[in-house]
Amino acid sequence: MTVLVIGGSGFLGTELIRQAAMAGHATAATYATRPGTFPRAAWYPLDLRDPGRVDAVMAEVGAGLVINASSGNADWAVTAQGPVRLAMAAAKYGSRLVHVSSDAVFSGARVHYDESCLPGPVTPYGAAKAAAETGILLVHPQAAVARTSLIIGDGDSVHERLVHELAAGTREGVLFTDDIRCPVHVTDLAAALLELAYGDAAGIHHLAGPDPVSRHELGVLIAGRDGLDASRLPAGLRAHSALPGALDVRLDSRATQRKLRTTLRGAQQFCATTT
């Protein structure tokens, strides 16, 4: 079976390609600006805003499984409309689809969110993600939508690079003590997404770690793991900043976790040792 990773040159996409290839699957991947470096994947340029190109890539690859790990930020055409075009094409060609969504679909008003909770986004990005979820499941009811949280690696994620730069004093900024999420390790997330994809699960799923931590607490854990001076990490309150968005969003992934062999580790565990 051929696995097609949309957004394959990104952080999560790269790990999905690696694990799919290691499992013995033929792998193909798309990119928006430049192809990734994984040598065993066939690379295709793709703009999700172009319906003709979406259909052409799907027809050429003939993938049995498609995982959309792309990120268009708050661009409505890419983040909201693009995934629906992809879902329409996947349904047309009989491809299994797993779409990666975000905890940004929630407002934080109730703090704890399981798969039964309805979206209530408070940012343009969250609104685009929520719209994509609705559209995808409307046009491809057999698709799976997987919401996740902060994605951490072994030093190569955006948040980890920020922590290193703040500790070194090469970047200005603070890590918020009131901005709480449930981080997940990229290897766990990729494995869980592929496990969902290989099965027949449909609808909404949550794939986040079990530990709710603030961005500052996460920074301290990363600093401890990487031998940095955590006292050099500046702290602040997001509530006192001009940044929009929810403060405390904790994805409850227990229902999905019970269906998986893959263990979604919490930040306390995956920051204790590198993988």
Side-chain angles (χ1 to χ4, degrees):
M1 177 177 63
T2 297
V3 176
L4 172 62
V5 179
I6 308 298
S9 57
F11 180 52
L12 174 59
T14 298
E15 180 62 20
L16 284 165
I17 293 169
R18 186 188 71 82
Q19 291 194 23
M22 286 183 62
H25 297 291
T27 56
T30 72
Y31 62 93
T33 55
R34 68 178 70 89
T37 58
F38 195 82
R40 293 166 60 185
W43 291 93
Y44 298 84
L46 177 65
D47 185 340
L48 285 173
R49 296 170 296 184
D50 183 347
R53 181 60 184 161
V54 171
D55 190 89
V57 170
M58 289 292 296
E60 183 174 349
V61 175
L65 168 61
V66 180
I67 302 179
N68 181 20
S70 64
S71 175
N73 298 315
D75 187 323
W76 188 266
V78 176
T79 304
Q81 297 173 330
V84 179
R85 293 190 186 96
L86 179 65
M88 293 172 66
K92 173 182 177 180
Y93 291 103
S95 301
R96 174 113 173 93
L97 174 66
V98 175
H99 171 77
V100 181
S101 191
S102 167
D103 57 11
V105 302
F106 295 120
S107 69
R110 61 175 294 164
V111 179
H112 299 276
Y113 294 90
D114 64 18
E115 288 88 343
S116 68
C117 295
L118 296 177
V122 293
T123 64
Y125 173 70
K129 280 293 194 181
E133 292 183 0
T134 301
I136 288 166
L137 295 178
L138 179 65
V139 302
H140 195 342
Q142 291 75 40
V145 171
R147 297 177 182 139
T148 192
S149 190
L150 298 179
I151 307 174
I152 307 300
D154 295 325
D156 45 2
S157 70
V158 171
H159 192 83
E160 290 164 289
R161 292 197 297 271
L162 172 62
V163 169
H164 277 251
E165 291 167 2
L166 289 173
T170 59
R171 179 168 176 171
E172 295 183 354
V174 299
L175 296 176
F176 297 126
T177 58
D178 60 344
D179 187 334
I180 299 172
R181 298 294 188 271
C182 294
V184 65
H185 197 279
V186 67
T187 59
D188 300 344
L189 177 58
L193 287 167
L194 286 166
E195 191 175 339
L196 282 178
Y198 297 150
D200 58 1
I204 302 292
H205 303 271
H206 284 183
L207 296 177
D211 299 342
V213 295
S214 71
R215 290 180 186 262
H216 186 268
E217 289 171 326
L218 179 59
V220 170
L221 289 172
I222 292 169
R225 183 197 68 187
D226 296 349
L228 306 175
D229 183 357
S231 68
R232 293 180 59 84
L233 298 176
L237 292 173
R238 182 169 182 168
H240 292 169
S241 77
L243 291 175
L247 291 179
D248 194 341
V249 176
R250 310 182 189 197
L251 288 187
D252 183 345
S253 303
R254 289 176 295 179
T256 299
Q257 177 67 90
R258 286 192 290 269
K259 304 173 186 176
L260 299 174
R261 297 185 304 274
T262 301
T263 298
L264 299 168
R265 295 168 294 163
Q268 298 282 350
Q269 182 179 357
F270 67 66
C271 283
T273 56
T274 56
T275 57

PDB file of all heavy atoms in Angstrom, residues 103-124:
ATOM      1  N   ASP A 103      -5.841  21.461  18.985  1.00  0.00           N
ATOM      2  CA  ASP A 103      -6.596  21.895  20.156  1.00  0.00           C
ATOM      3  C   ASP A 103      -7.014  23.364  20.047  1.00  0.00           C
ATOM      4  O   ASP A 103      -7.770  23.869  20.881  1.00  0.00           O
ATOM      5  CB  ASP A 103      -5.812  21.653  21.447  1.00  0.00           C
ATOM      6  CG  ASP A 103      -4.446  22.325  21.478  1.00  0.00           C
ATOM      7  OD1 ASP A 103      -4.149  23.161  20.599  1.00  0.00           O
ATOM      8  OD2 ASP A 103      -3.651  22.000  22.393  1.00  0.00           O
ATOM      9  N   ALA A 104      -6.552  24.049  19.001  1.00  0.00           N
ATOM     10  CA  ALA A 104      -6.953  25.437  18.774  1.00  0.00           C
ATOM     11  C   ALA A 104      -8.423  25.569  18.406  1.00  0.00           C
ATOM     12  O   ALA A 104      -8.951  26.685  18.362  1.00  0.00           O
ATOM     13  CB  ALA A 104      -6.098  26.067  17.672  1.00  0.00           C
ATOM     14  N   VAL A 105      -9.110  24.455  18.178  1.00  0.00           N
ATOM     15  CA  VAL A 105     -10.543  24.528  17.880  1.00  0.00           C
ATOM     16  C   VAL A 105     -11.353  24.838  19.141  1.00  0.00           C
ATOM     17  O   VAL A 105     -12.557  25.100  19.049  1.00  0.00           O
ATOM     18  CB  VAL A 105     -11.071  23.226  17.230  1.00  0.00           C
ATOM     19  CG1 VAL A 105     -10.317  22.928  15.943  1.00  0.00           C
ATOM     20  CG2 VAL A 105     -10.999  22.047  18.192  1.00  0.00           C
ATOM     21  N   PHE A 106     -10.701  24.824  20.320  1.00  0.00           N
ATOM     22  CA  PHE A 106     -11.409  25.058  21.570  1.00  0.00           C
ATOM     23  C   PHE A 106     -11.056  26.417  22.175  1.00  0.00           C
ATOM     24  O   PHE A 106      -9.953  26.933  21.989  1.00  0.00           O
ATOM     25  CB  PHE A 106     -11.084  23.955  22.575  1.00  0.00           C
ATOM     26  CG  PHE A 106     -11.568  22.593  22.144  1.00  0.00           C
ATOM     27  CD1 PHE A 106     -10.676  21.546  21.955  1.00  0.00           C
ATOM     28  CD2 PHE A 106     -12.913  22.356  21.908  1.00  0.00           C
ATOM     29  CE1 PHE A 106     -11.115  20.296  21.558  1.00  0.00           C
ATOM     30  CE2 PHE A 106     -13.365  21.102  21.505  1.00  0.00           C
ATOM     31  CZ  PHE A 106     -12.463  20.071  21.331  1.00  0.00           C
ATOM     32  N   SER A 107     -11.991  26.956  22.964  1.00  0.00           N
ATOM     33  CA  SER A 107     -11.834  28.290  23.559  1.00  0.00           C
ATOM     34  C   SER A 107     -11.091  28.276  24.883  1.00  0.00           C
ATOM     35  O   SER A 107     -10.589  29.305  25.319  1.00  0.00           O
ATOM     36  CB  SER A 107     -13.211  28.911  23.785  1.00  0.00           C
ATOM     37  OG  SER A 107     -13.906  28.216  24.823  1.00  0.00           O
ATOM     38  N   GLY A 108     -11.057  27.121  25.548  1.00  0.00           N
ATOM     39  CA  GLY A 108     -10.464  27.045  26.875  1.00  0.00           C
ATOM     40  C   GLY A 108     -11.447  27.323  27.992  1.00  0.00           C
ATOM     41  O   GLY A 108     -11.102  27.227  29.174  1.00  0.00           O
ATOM     42  N   ALA A 109     -12.687  27.653  27.668  1.00  0.00           N
ATOM     43  CA  ALA A 109     -13.674  28.012  28.684  1.00  0.00           C
ATOM     44  C   ALA A 109     -13.953  26.867  29.657  1.00  0.00           C
ATOM     45  O   ALA A 109     -14.174  27.093  30.846  1.00  0.00           O
ATOM     46  CB  ALA A 109     -14.976  28.461  28.019  1.00  0.00           C
ATOM     47  N   ARG A 110     -13.913  25.630  29.163  1.00  0.00           N
ATOM     48  CA  ARG A 110     -14.191  24.490  30.047  1.00  0.00           C
ATOM     49  C   ARG A 110     -12.934  23.719  30.406  1.00  0.00           C
ATOM     50  O   ARG A 110     -13.002  22.721  31.142  1.00  0.00           O
ATOM     51  CB  ARG A 110     -15.226  23.561  29.420  1.00  0.00           C
ATOM     52  CG  ARG A 110     -14.832  22.933  28.097  1.00  0.00           C
ATOM     53  CD  ARG A 110     -15.892  21.946  27.631  1.00  0.00           C
ATOM     54  NE  ARG A 110     -15.975  20.795  28.519  1.00  0.00           N
ATOM     55  CZ  ARG A 110     -16.988  19.941  28.547  1.00  0.00           C
ATOM     56  NH1 ARG A 110     -18.028  20.128  27.761  1.00  0.00           N
ATOM     57  NH2 ARG A 110     -16.988  18.909  29.381  1.00  0.00           N
ATOM     58  N   VAL A 111     -11.775  24.106  29.903  1.00  0.00           N
ATOM     59  CA  VAL A 111     -10.445  23.557  30.223  1.00  0.00           C
ATOM     60  C   VAL A 111     -10.267  22.139  29.696  1.00  0.00           C
ATOM     61  O   VAL A 111      -9.366  21.860  28.910  1.00  0.00           O
ATOM     62  CB  VAL A 111     -10.137  23.617  31.735  1.00  0.00           C
ATOM     63  CG1 VAL A 111      -8.775  23.011  32.032  1.00  0.00           C
ATOM     64  CG2 VAL A 111     -10.204  25.063  32.233  1.00  0.00           C
ATOM     65  N   HIS A 112     -11.100  21.210  30.148  1.00  0.00           N
ATOM     66  CA  HIS A 112     -10.947  19.796  29.788  1.00  0.00           C
ATOM     67  C   HIS A 112     -11.855  19.464  28.598  1.00  0.00           C
ATOM     68  O   HIS A 112     -13.069  19.719  28.651  1.00  0.00           O
ATOM     69  CB  HIS A 112     -11.287  18.898  30.969  1.00  0.00           C
ATOM     70  CG  HIS A 112     -10.402  19.117  32.159  1.00  0.00           C
ATOM     71  ND1 HIS A 112      -9.175  18.520  32.295  1.00  0.00           N
ATOM     72  CD2 HIS A 112     -10.569  19.897  33.259  1.00  0.00           C
ATOM     73  CE1 HIS A 112      -8.617  18.900  33.431  1.00  0.00           C
ATOM     74  NE2 HIS A 112      -9.440  19.750  34.033  1.00  0.00           N
ATOM     75  N   TYR A 113     -11.269  18.861  27.559  1.00  0.00           N
ATOM     76  CA  TYR A 113     -12.027  18.578  26.339  1.00  0.00           C
ATOM     77  C   TYR A 113     -11.794  17.146  25.868  1.00  0.00           C
ATOM     78  O   TYR A 113     -10.657  16.758  25.577  1.00  0.00           O
ATOM     79  CB  TYR A 113     -11.606  19.531  25.220  1.00  0.00           C
ATOM     80  CG  TYR A 113     -11.963  20.977  25.477  1.00  0.00           C
ATOM     81  CD1 TYR A 113     -11.075  21.820  26.134  1.00  0.00           C
ATOM     82  CD2 TYR A 113     -13.180  21.503  25.056  1.00  0.00           C
ATOM     83  CE1 TYR A 113     -11.393  23.150  26.374  1.00  0.00           C
ATOM     84  CE2 TYR A 113     -13.511  22.827  25.279  1.00  0.00           C
ATOM     85  CZ  TYR A 113     -12.609  23.639  25.944  1.00  0.00           C
ATOM     86  OH  TYR A 113     -12.927  24.956  26.172  1.00  0.00           O
ATOM     87  N   ASP A 114     -12.879  16.372  25.786  1.00  0.00           N
ATOM     88  CA  ASP A 114     -12.772  15.052  25.172  1.00  0.00           C
ATOM     89  C   ASP A 114     -13.356  15.110  23.763  1.00  0.00           C
ATOM     90  O   ASP A 114     -13.738  16.177  23.272  1.00  0.00           O
ATOM     91  CB  ASP A 114     -13.436  13.973  26.032  1.00  0.00           C
ATOM     92  CG  ASP A 114     -14.948  14.178  26.179  1.00  0.00           C
ATOM     93  OD1 ASP A 114     -15.556  14.931  25.372  1.00  0.00           O
ATOM     94  OD2 ASP A 114     -15.534  13.580  27.100  1.00  0.00           O
ATOM     95  N   GLU A 115     -13.442  13.965  23.125  1.00  0.00           N
ATOM     96  CA  GLU A 115     -13.855  13.932  21.718  1.00  0.00           C
ATOM     97  C   GLU A 115     -15.302  14.341  21.504  1.00  0.00           C
ATOM     98  O   GLU A 115     -15.697  14.687  20.385  1.00  0.00           O
ATOM     99  CB  GLU A 115     -13.622  12.530  21.148  1.00  0.00           C
ATOM    100  CG  GLU A 115     -12.178  12.162  20.924  1.00  0.00           C
ATOM    101  CD  GLU A 115     -11.493  11.533  22.132  1.00  0.00           C
ATOM    102  OE1 GLU A 115     -12.045  11.668  23.262  1.00  0.00           O
ATOM    103  OE2 GLU A 115     -10.429  10.920  21.973  1.00  0.00           O
ATOM    104  N   SER A 116     -16.107  14.329  22.550  1.00  0.00           N
ATOM    105  CA  SER A 116     -17.518  14.691  22.404  1.00  0.00           C
ATOM    106  C   SER A 116     -17.760  16.198  22.459  1.00  0.00           C
ATOM    107  O   SER A 116     -18.867  16.655  22.157  1.00  0.00           O
ATOM    108  CB  SER A 116     -18.349  14.014  23.502  1.00  0.00           C
ATOM    109  OG  SER A 116     -18.041  14.565  24.780  1.00  0.00           O
ATOM    110  N   CYS A 117     -16.740  16.972  22.824  1.00  0.00           N
ATOM    111  CA  CYS A 117     -16.912  18.415  22.979  1.00  0.00           C
ATOM    112  C   CYS A 117     -16.960  19.116  21.622  1.00  0.00           C
ATOM    113  O   CYS A 117     -16.156  18.818  20.733  1.00  0.00           O
ATOM    114  CB  CYS A 117     -15.773  18.994  23.817  1.00  0.00           C
ATOM    115  SG  CYS A 117     -15.755  18.405  25.523  1.00  0.00           S
ATOM    116  N   LEU A 118     -17.873  20.050  21.499  1.00  0.00           N
ATOM    117  CA  LEU A 118     -18.011  20.801  20.256  1.00  0.00           C
ATOM    118  C   LEU A 118     -16.980  21.922  20.191  1.00  0.00           C
ATOM    119  O   LEU A 118     -16.662  22.547  21.211  1.00  0.00           O
ATOM    120  CB  LEU A 118     -19.417  21.388  20.145  1.00  0.00           C
ATOM    121  CG  LEU A 118     -20.567  20.383  20.042  1.00  0.00           C
ATOM    122  CD1 LEU A 118     -21.897  21.118  20.021  1.00  0.00           C
ATOM    123  CD2 LEU A 118     -20.412  19.499  18.817  1.00  0.00           C
ATOM    124  N   PRO A 119     -16.454  22.196  19.004  1.00  0.00           N
ATOM    125  CA  PRO A 119     -15.485  23.289  18.860  1.00  0.00           C
ATOM    126  C   PRO A 119     -16.084  24.643  19.233  1.00  0.00           C
ATOM    127  O   PRO A 119     -17.293  24.859  19.093  1.00  0.00           O
ATOM    128  CB  PRO A 119     -15.121  23.247  17.371  1.00  0.00           C
ATOM    129  CG  PRO A 119     -15.442  21.857  16.936  1.00  0.00           C
ATOM    130  CD  PRO A 119     -16.643  21.459  17.738  1.00  0.00           C
ATOM    131  N   GLY A 120     -15.219  25.532  19.679  1.00  0.00           N
ATOM    132  CA  GLY A 120     -15.597  26.912  19.964  1.00  0.00           C
ATOM    133  C   GLY A 120     -14.367  27.780  19.809  1.00  0.00           C
ATOM    134  O   GLY A 120     -13.878  28.346  20.772  1.00  0.00           O
ATOM    135  N   PRO A 121     -13.846  27.890  18.597  1.00  0.00           N
ATOM    136  CA  PRO A 121     -12.568  28.573  18.376  1.00  0.00           C
ATOM    137  C   PRO A 121     -12.651  30.072  18.677  1.00  0.00           C
ATOM    138  O   PRO A 121     -13.708  30.689  18.517  1.00  0.00           O
ATOM    139  CB  PRO A 121     -12.281  28.322  16.897  1.00  0.00           C
ATOM    140  CG  PRO A 121     -13.633  28.094  16.281  1.00  0.00           C
ATOM    141  CD  PRO A 121     -14.434  27.387  17.336  1.00  0.00           C
ATOM    142  N   VAL A 122     -11.522  30.634  19.098  1.00  0.00           N
ATOM    143  CA  VAL A 122     -11.449  32.067  19.402  1.00  0.00           C
ATOM    144  C   VAL A 122     -10.373  32.767  18.579  1.00  0.00           C
ATOM    145  O   VAL A 122     -10.098  33.939  18.800  1.00  0.00           O
ATOM    146  CB  VAL A 122     -11.199  32.301  20.910  1.00  0.00           C
ATOM    147  CG1 VAL A 122     -12.393  31.845  21.731  1.00  0.00           C
ATOM    148  CG2 VAL A 122      -9.932  31.588  21.373  1.00  0.00           C
ATOM    149  N   THR A 123      -9.751  32.062  17.640  1.00  0.00           N
ATOM    150  CA  THR A 123      -8.749  32.649  16.750  1.00  0.00           C
ATOM    151  C   THR A 123      -9.076  32.270  15.312  1.00  0.00           C
ATOM    152  O   THR A 123      -9.759  31.264  15.062  1.00  0.00           O
ATOM    153  CB  THR A 123      -7.331  32.152  17.078  1.00  0.00           C
ATOM    154  OG1 THR A 123      -7.268  30.726  16.847  1.00  0.00           O
ATOM    155  CG2 THR A 123      -6.948  32.463  18.523  1.00  0.00           C
ATOM    156  N   PRO A 124      -8.585  33.038  14.342  1.00  0.00           N
ATOM    157  CA  PRO A 124      -8.804  32.666  12.935  1.00  0.00           C
ATOM    158  C   PRO A 124      -8.248  31.282  12.604  1.00  0.00           C
ATOM    159  O   PRO A 124      -8.866  30.530  11.831  1.00  0.00           O
ATOM    160  CB  PRO A 124      -8.076  33.771  12.168  1.00  0.00           C
ATOM    161  CG  PRO A 124      -8.117  34.954  13.079  1.00  0.00           C
ATOM    162  CD  PRO A 124      -7.966  34.381  14.456  1.00  0.00           C
TER     163      PRO A 124
END
